[in-house]
């Protein structure tokens, strides 16, 4: 076990409490329930997380779901992150810098390649050859990189290399 001083039951309780608390808190903030008081939202999320973590069937269910849900949330976060980078809110005609996004996607492609053997089992792609999926992900990321570079180029008045 990674953390020796914690029992398995306590780790299950903390994992379920933390996951449910974060999910409920984020959803209530997003839905703008009690927008004037984040303390009230936090208290509601704590109570729901605590009650869920004390109910043993819910803990067993959640411990089976959390790894899959974490992967889904990472992909959702990635989609929103890419959307925010490529389609930012236009404010005063201000241009946005796409180079951090391009660099981040390049690094992400390298990380996916390095850890694909471990990731594929969680995603259910273990039966599909890794090369096929990596090619598809690579083509998608390279296309996004070209789209980002084109959007930065399109916003300029002159094409690069011209005088």
């Amino acid at each position: 076990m990674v953390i020796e001083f914690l029992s398995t039951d306590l780790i299950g309780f903390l994992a379920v409490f933390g996951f449910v608390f974060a999910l409920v808190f984020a959803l209530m903030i997003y839905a703008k329930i009690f927008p004037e008081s984040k303390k009230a939202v936090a208290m509601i999320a704590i109570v729901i997380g605590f009650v869920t973590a004390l109910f043993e069937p819910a803990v067993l269910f959640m411990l089976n779901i959390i790894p899959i849900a974490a992967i889904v949330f990472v992909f959702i976060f990635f989609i929103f992150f890419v959307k925010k980078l490529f389609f930012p809110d236009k404010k005063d005609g201000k241009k946005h810098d796409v180079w951090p996004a391009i660099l981040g996607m390049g690094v992400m492609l390298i990380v996916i390649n390095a850890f694909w053997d471990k990731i594929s089992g969680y995603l259910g792609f273990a039966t599909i050859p890794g090369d096929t999926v990596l090619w598809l992900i690579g083509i998608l990321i390279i296309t996004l990189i070209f789209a980002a570079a084109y959007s930065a180029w399109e916003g300029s008045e002159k094409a690069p290399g011209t005088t």
Side-chain angles (χ1 to χ4, degrees), residues 39-56:
K39 291 179 183 177
V41 172
M43 286 304 296
I44 293 169
I46 287 170
V47 169
I48 292 173
F50 190 71
V51 169
T52 304
L54 288 177
F55 187 57
E56 189 174 346

Side-chain angles (χ1 to χ4, degrees), residues 93-105:
K94 194 176 179 183
K95 287 178 26 177
H96 63 282
D97 188 15
V98 296
W99 294 110
I102 291 172
L103 191 63
M105 285 187 287

Side-chain angles (χ1 to χ4, degrees), residues 14 25 28 76 80 86 88 90 162:
L14 293 174
F25 187 75
M28 289 180 74
I76 289 172
F80 281 115
F86 288 122
K90 300 289 183 190
T162 62

